[in-house]
Amino acid sequence: MQVVSELTDTSRLCLHTITTKPWPLEIAVEKYAAAGVHGITVWRQWLEGKSLEKSRRLISDAGLQVVSLCRGGFFPSANAGKRQEAIAENLRALDEAAAIGAPWVVLVCGADPSQSLIDSRQQIFDGISACLEQAQKLGVKLAIEPLHPMYAGDRSAINTMKQANDLCELIDHPFLGVAVDVYHVWWDPDLQKEIERCGRAGRLLAFHICDWHLPVEDLLNDRGLMGEGCINIREIRGWVEQTGFTGFNEVEIFSNRWWKTDMDDFLAAILAAYRRHS
Ligand code: ZN
């Protein structure tokens, strides 16, 4: 059993704005910085109706680093017009990422339940391929995030690290990589092997943490705080770090349960859980 060092400080701690959903960008930035959080992953909804330049300055003036923009993807559709719209939307996401200084856009690749997963996967291949020239021009990468198979019906036809690695190999582009989210991949018996493969290829861009809370009451919005569930987070972090990964540990929790509580208390609980269980 490998020994994984404890996280004794918050220098590599990043929060996703959706984790503290009730807080608008200004409040989130202020609270994260005051709590000693160093990174922020911005969800696109948090930028709606805002000046991107002002948002970028707000974040950097607070001493926070933009870790990534969430999210692009949703490429597949049985309707060709919708597939074109999805590509246009991803190009807009790339522009936004460049404007706020995000080094990559995280992709929830998508799936259309009216067609086979095989068709959806082909359309994901086509959609990503159509965006990479612009990605490279802007200096912004695309990070494929494999999603748990319970989302294969309508959210993503890419469900394992192996599939994400295979897709990256097939497209073989320097601006394409992978985001590893423990919530989606913890169950996979090939996880360690595929994390190593991803790291060896220089494609492991991001690492997302939370926990698998039981019983799962909502497929989307019942993620647990680290330590509330059964994911071997620290062990997986060890595998990720063994590849040479020195990036942020991004706390991404969608939770109706936690969103109902006071966000200051939740932030304090995240900081404690980050040290104790991550
Ligand atoms: Zn994630």
Side-chain angles (χ1 to χ4, degrees):
M1 175 108 179
Q2 58 173 347
V3 178
V4 184
S5 60
E6 275 184 44
L7 293 164
T8 51
D9 65 60
T10 54
S11 60
R12 292 172 55 216
L13 171 60
C14 165
L15 259 63
H16 283 227
T17 53
I18 197 149
T19 297
T20 52
K21 192 178 176 190
W23 282 344
L25 188 65
E26 293 76 7
I27 306 287
V29 165
E30 183 192 324
K31 300 278 192 181
Y32 294 0
V37 175
H38 287 246
I40 183 168
T41 281
V42 180
W43 280 56
R44 293 184 70 199
Q45 302 92 304
W46 270 254
L47 299 170
E48 266 169 32
K50 286 193 162 67
S51 149
L52 296 172
E53 172 55 24
K54 273 189 194 155
S55 300
R56 187 189 64 75
R57 238 181 301 128
L58 174 84
I59 294 167
S60 65
D61 287 354
L64 290 172
Q65 186 178 329
V66 179
V67 177
S68 56
L69 182 73
C70 270
R71 62 201 180 190
F74 294 101
F75 293 108
S77 171
N79 177 308
K82 288 204 173 135
R83 293 202 295 276
Q84 280 310 312
E85 273 171 39
I87 289 169
E89 191 59 40
N90 278 275
L91 296 176
R92 279 194 287 279
L94 282 167
D95 284 339
E96 285 174 23
I100 65 162
W104 52 78
V105 174
V106 176
L107 300 180
V108 170
C109 290
D112 181 341
S114 75
Q115 65 184 13
S116 79
L117 287 173
I118 293 160
D119 289 343
S120 287
R121 287 173 192 140
Q122 179 62 47
Q123 292 165 5
I124 290 166
F125 173 94
D126 294 341
I128 290 174
S129 300
C131 294
L132 280 168
E133 192 186 323
Q134 178 71 354
Q136 184 155 23
K137 207 168 107 191
L138 293 168
V140 176
K141 294 186 176 183
L142 294 174
I144 298 169
E145 178 168 358
L147 256 56
H148 192 281
M150 71 179 170
Y151 301 115
D154 58 354
R155 300 186 80 77
S156 183
I158 304 297
N159 307 104
T160 63
M161 280 295 293
K162 180 179 187 306
Q163 281 181 294
N165 283 331
D166 287 349
L167 188 54
C168 284
E169 260 176 30
L170 200 61
I171 296 177
D172 190 23
H173 194 287
F175 276 72
L176 184 60
V178 177
V180 179
D181 185 327
V182 298
Y183 192 74
H184 297 301
V185 297
W186 68 279
W187 55 273
D188 183 350
D190 291 329
L191 183 57
Q192 183 177 7
K193 190 175 80 184
E194 292 295 332
I195 283 174
E196 283 167 8
R197 176 184 168 201
C198 190
R200 242 190 345 263
R203 295 191 175 114
L204 206 166
L205 300 180
F207 182 53
H208 299 175
I209 56 174
C210 67
D211 214 334
W212 188 273
H213 177 247
L214 289 165
V216 178
E217 286 172 5
D218 183 298
L219 290 188
L220 201 57
N221 295 323
D222 191 23
R223 292 187 179 206
L225 177 63
M226 296 79 75
E228 280 189 321
C230 53
I231 301 181
N232 52 334
I233 302 168
R234 188 167 293 175
E235 189 172 29
I236 298 173
R237 178 168 64 79
W239 299 339
V240 166
E241 288 174 0
Q242 268 172 7
T243 71
F245 180 85
T246 55
F248 281 88
N249 299 302
E250 305 180 38
V251 178
E252 182 189 27
I253 301 171
F254 322 139
S255 167
N256 292 330
R257 216 164 26 93
W258 281 105
W259 288 334
K260 269 186 245 158
T261 68
D262 180 276
M263 282 300 103
D264 287 304
D265 294 344
F266 184 30
L267 182 54
I270 289 170
L271 288 165
Y274 181 72
R275 289 189 164 91
R276 215 168 294 145
H277 301 291
S278 306

